[in-house]
Amino acid sequence: MPESKAKLLHKFRQAYGDGIIEGVVWEVPTPVPPSEHPYKYRLVYIVEGKRVIGYDNERGKGDHKHMGVLEVAYVFKNVPTLLADFKRDLEGAIS
């Protein structure tokens, strides 16, 4: 039986506001603990070398987001909602 591999769903890097946004979303064969969904993701907004906003589901931490120096839990629903939530926080950061 062939081994299942991660499937790249989204990858981007572009100028945004005063900084750069970068992101990658993978569909993975098994969830990244303690997340229970089949996605691994990292989305970030960087200004002058510093993370302003970040979303990720690091192994052992689960789904969370970084807002400046704060790290808070993030309730993952689906990939379109994840991207929309990230965009909403981006717009709030540059307004």
Side-chain angles (χ1 to χ4, degrees):
M1 179 180 291
E3 184 178 315
S4 296
K5 295 185 179 183
K7 176 183 173 187
L8 180 63
L9 300 178
H10 298 280
K11 185 173 184 179
F12 56 88
R13 183 176 201 275
Q14 66 186 55
Y16 190 90
D18 293 332
I20 294 173
I21 56 172
E22 294 182 353
V24 63
V25 180
W26 296 88
E27 183 174 7
V28 293
T30 57
V32 177
S35 298
E36 296 180 356
H37 54 78
Y39 301 100
K40 171 70 179 146
Y41 60 89
R42 178 181 45 82
L43 310 170
V44 66
Y45 176 45
I46 300 168
V47 176
E48 297 179 2
K50 295 186 181 182
R51 178 181 58 207
V52 176
I53 298 169
Y55 281 59
D56 67 281
N57 62 330
E58 181 181 334
R59 182 175 297 277
K61 285 188 170 185
D63 302 288
H64 62 282
K65 66 181 182 176
H66 304 264
M67 303 298 287
V69 296
L70 297 176
E71 181 177 313
V72 296
Y74 174 71
V75 177
F76 181 91
K77 294 179 182 154
N78 54 50
V79 173
T81 301
L82 169 71
L83 297 173
D85 289 345
F86 180 65
K87 182 179 178 185
R88 182 194 64 237
D89 284 343
L90 281 173
E91 291 169 352
I94 65 167
S95 59

